[in-house]
Amino acid sequence: MAACSVEALLAKAEQEEAEKLKSITVQKDLDLEFDIGNLLASDKTRIESRDFRGQKKEDFLRSLARDNTQLLVNEIWKLPSERVEEAIVTKLPDQTTPLPREKPPPKPRPPTKWEEFAKLKGIQKRKKTNLVWDENRVDKNEYNRLKNIARAQKVKLPGVGLIPTPQQSKEDLVKAVSVARTSTASAGRFQDRLPKEKPPRKTGKKRKFEPLIGNFSNEKQKQLELLKHMGSKKPQLDINRAVNKQMREENREEAAARFKKGGKKGRKSTMSGKGGKGKGGKGKGGPGKGAQGKGGPGKGGQGGKSGGKRRGKLGKH
Amino acid sequence: MRPLTDEETKTMFEKLSKYIGDNIKLLVDRPDGSYCFRLHNDRVYYMSEKILKLATHISRDKLVSVGTCFGKFTKTIKFRLHITALDFLAPYAKFKVWVKSGAEQSFLYGNHVLKAGLGRITENTMQYQGVVVYSMTDVPLGFGVAAKSTLECRQVDPMSIVVFHQADVGEFIRNEDTLT
């Protein structure tokens, strides 16, 4: 009896399972093409036109969609799954369907100023040395051991920057040089520099300023003295002023010459006409005007000169 | 805030003397009170002793400006004169340029002064001399550098620049944010 019932139970269970699986398994004439990366399943079976008549259309499409989706999901379940915070996830494989570009391809951009310069000079891109992190415990331990000894014996160490390293960068070397230079009895003050060595940039001396509200009269005195010093340092012979002066003189002489010429020309042309009177008048007018001409700009020149600073005795005006 | 060091004072005085010559001593040593220069955030301020003493009560980060700002020291320690110094440069200016009413507006917008806009110019102005620019009604408008000496000014064509613009009173509106 028990065996009979067990058999019956087993058979029943098998039947139920088969029913369940039936809904999971799908019979297809042609296998679908899967692109799991894109969650894409392509069904290439031909569709009969009689399935598309009237009411049957909706049912047909629905069942088709359901079957294909079931197959796709089956494929996804075939991938290795993992559990992440109460959800079972799987990593999708790479996409196999090539998709067209969303945006047009980037246009070649014009070379930057540096790129042009580098091309011109033939500068190549230089990769930095690929120094890797040294996992070696031995060297680290050795260094720490030495440090401990130094601390125990109260020996002063030069500084963090001077760790013995196989590859020393430029900054390390510069630091080492400056440390070596200042480790003399007078802290490097009288240490000569090598021919091409540049002077140290940071003197380490703190800048000291005058107090904010110091002695006002002292301050004034210093400033006035500075002004006096600046004033005296200005050159006596100012080239620009000399040139301008020369130009002024030349202009004046030209003007005077023009007046004289004007007088002579006038006389020649009116010789026949108003004769003596004209001559006499012009004659007096000529040198008179000329003299006045020299006097006028001369006075102006003198005035101008006295107005500005007298810069040295430049010849005779 | 701190007083200027000797080098800074020298640089500043050299710049000022380009515009006012030896009248700087009238700024340093005034009969009506004791005035001084102080440096704050790279800017040079000119103030009376009384104001200075009051300003010491304000902390450095909260202090914006004291007295009149004459100018500032640039990153390469050159001194740049600001328009706010005009009140002190104008009365002591050695070389002046008067600008015609038509070109006044152009200068106030930051353009250089052309020969066509030049009204008057002091005699004996050297080329590249610091000048103070006035309107025809003797109102100081700003300052600049003479591009040509007075003699050359007479000979050049009307479209050439005679004064390079350096600062004008229009900057009080244009550069409101950067003036202190």
Side-chain angles (χ1 to χ4, degrees):
Chain A
M1 302 291 162
C4 186
S5 67
V6 166
E7 264 186 48
L9 268 174
L10 280 172
K12 206 176 166 191
E14 238 186 283
Q15 215 185 10
E16 280 178 13
E17 275 227 37
E19 293 237 25
K20 266 202 207 150
L21 280 170
K22 188 180 155 196
S23 61
I24 296 175
T25 55
V26 174
Q27 247 336 45
K28 272 276 184 193
D29 300 331
L30 200 65
D31 274 335
L32 304 187
E33 287 179 5
F34 293 102
D35 179 7
I36 304 297
N38 275 323
L39 292 177
L40 173 70
S42 318
D43 184 2
K44 287 211 171 111
T45 42
R46 287 227 187 104
I47 297 176
E48 307 287 318
S49 52
R50 58 180 128 95
D51 291 330
F52 256 57
R53 277 198 211 120
Q55 198 51 32
K56 278 172 89 179
K57 185 170 67 176
E58 290 295 317
D59 296 333
F60 170 70
L61 284 175
R62 194 172 294 131
S63 67
L64 182 66
R66 193 236 150 243
D67 289 341
N68 288 342
T69 317
Q70 181 66 61
L71 284 169
L72 179 63
V73 170
N74 289 349
E75 279 297 309
I76 296 173
W77 273 109
K78 284 182 190 161
L79 296 170
S81 62
E82 42 192 61
R83 204 185 179 81
V84 173
E85 282 179 20
E86 302 164 3
I88 300 172
V89 293
T90 177
K91 188 161 178 352
L92 293 176
D94 291 330
Q95 304 177 3
T96 52
T97 322
L99 293 170
R101 291 184 83 97
E102 180 195 340
K103 296 204 168 66
K107 298 192 198 84
R109 50 189 165 84
T112 63
K113 273 202 149 184
W114 170 253
E115 279 174 8
E116 280 181 21
F117 178 75
K119 204 173 20 170
L120 188 75
K121 288 270 184 165
I123 299 172
Q124 249 88 25
K125 258 197 159 178
R126 205 169 291 163
K127 274 218 158 191
K128 282 191 171 175
T129 58
N130 37 1
L131 291 176
V132 290
W133 175 251
D134 184 21
E135 284 284 356
N136 195 345
R137 292 169 304 135
V138 175
D139 293 335
K140 261 184 159 179
N141 276 336
E142 185 67 33
Y143 175 61
N144 281 328
R145 186 177 77 92
L146 291 171
K147 264 188 123 172
N148 291 337
I149 292 170
R151 207 189 317 139
Q153 298 189 346
K154 315 264 190 240
V155 171
K156 282 217 166 164
L157 288 175
V160 187
L162 296 186
I163 312 168
T165 46
Q167 298 295 93
Q168 279 172 324
S169 70
K170 191 170 159 192
E171 288 90 38
D172 286 340
L173 289 171
V174 165
K175 199 159 188 182
V177 163
S178 69
V179 164
R181 136 175 261 110
T182 41
S183 357
T184 58
S186 31
R189 278 182 67 186
F190 305 109
Q191 201 72 7
D192 294 325
R193 267 182 274 129
L194 293 173
K196 280 197 182 172
E197 199 180 339
K198 289 185 201 152
R201 283 199 61 200
K202 295 194 176 143
T203 50
K205 207 179 181 183
K206 191 167 173 190
R207 273 183 86 177
K208 200 158 184 246
F209 300 115
E210 297 291 310
L212 179 58
I213 307 184
N215 195 342
F216 284 111
S217 53
N218 254 10
E219 207 182 310
K220 244 181 256 197
Q221 276 304 107
K222 258 198 257 177
Q223 286 177 344
L224 287 172
E225 270 198 39
L226 179 68
L227 282 171
K228 214 191 319 180
H229 187 66
M230 272 168 56
S232 69
K233 261 201 160 181
K234 282 198 185 125
Q236 294 286 60
L237 174 58
D238 197 359
I239 303 206
N240 273 333
R241 283 189 86 94
V243 163
N244 278 1
K245 206 163 192 211
Q246 189 65 25
M247 278 172 69
R248 271 203 300 273
E249 278 217 34
E250 283 172 11
N251 282 353
R252 223 172 291 130
E253 283 171 22
E254 264 179 48
R258 237 178 283 137
F259 275 128
K260 266 201 194 159
K261 259 196 188 169
K264 277 195 192 146
K265 268 201 186 151
R267 249 183 281 155
K268 272 198 184 149
S269 60
T270 60
M271 232 157 70
S272 56
K274 290 199 177 149
K277 211 182 186 183
K279 234 206 248 176
K282 281 278 158 68
K284 265 193 201 162
K289 263 193 198 158
Q292 184 119 59
K294 266 204 178 132
K299 276 191 200 145
Q302 197 74 305
K305 197 178 163 191
S306 59
K309 244 196 204 167
R310 279 211 188 211
R311 301 253 158 102
K313 298 165 188 140
L314 287 169
K316 233 177 28 157
H317 163 64
Chain B
M1 238 198 327
R2 61 166 174 87
L4 297 161
T5 61
D6 288 336
E7 292 88 34
E8 288 165 352
T9 324
K10 186 150 177 271
T11 323
M12 191 184 70
F13 281 177
E14 272 172 15
K15 197 63 194 258
L16 282 176
S17 66
K18 284 202 181 124
Y19 294 89
I20 58 181
D22 23 311
N23 288 336
I24 305 180
K25 59 178 181 293
L26 295 167
L27 278 180
V28 170
D29 196 8
R30 274 165 76 139
D32 61 336
S34 164
Y35 282 68
C36 59
F37 291 98
R38 288 289 180 270
L39 193 81
H40 176 63
N41 283 351
D42 289 332
R43 284 175 199 256
V44 175
Y45 296 97
Y46 181 66
M47 66 201 86
S48 68
E49 181 188 322
K50 189 168 57 120
I51 302 279
L52 171 65
K53 288 195 176 153
L54 291 172
T56 54
H57 298 290
I58 305 172
S59 62
R60 254 179 234 175
D61 47 341
K62 300 263 185 354
L63 184 65
V64 174
S65 173
V66 199
T68 352
C69 175
F70 258 48
K72 72 180 219 183
F73 281 102
T74 62
K75 289 272 186 252
T76 50
I77 320 174
K78 292 200 179 51
F79 184 65
R80 187 188 171 78
L81 210 54
H82 283 184
I83 187 59
T84 37
L86 186 64
D87 286 335
F88 294 98
L89 294 184
Y92 302 122
K94 286 251 161 159
F95 297 98
K96 307 180 186 184
V97 165
W98 285 263
V99 156
K100 286 188 195 151
S101 347
E104 199 182 294
Q105 191 74 321
S106 164
F107 180 72
L108 289 175
Y109 271 98
N111 301 317
H112 303 301
V113 179
L114 305 176
K115 165 83 189 296
L118 184 69
R120 291 194 335 243
I121 182 166
T122 8
E123 195 62 60
N124 295 335
T125 316
M126 290 288 117
Q127 194 180 24
Y128 307 132
Q129 173 76 43
V131 293
V132 178
V133 175
Y134 291 81
S135 75
M136 284 324 269
T137 52
D138 275 331
V139 171
L141 297 175
F143 44 87
V145 173
K148 308 252 183 271
S149 66
T150 317
L151 286 165
E152 287 178 46
C153 270
R154 295 200 188 117
Q155 297 160 5
V156 289
D157 61 303
M159 288 323 280
S160 60
I161 300 174
V162 290
V163 175
F164 293 124
H165 165 286
Q166 290 217 317
D168 64 273
V169 289
E171 277 177 29
F172 282 109
I173 301 171
R174 291 203 308 274
N175 300 347
E176 217 180 304
D177 308 323
T178 51
L179 285 178
T180 48

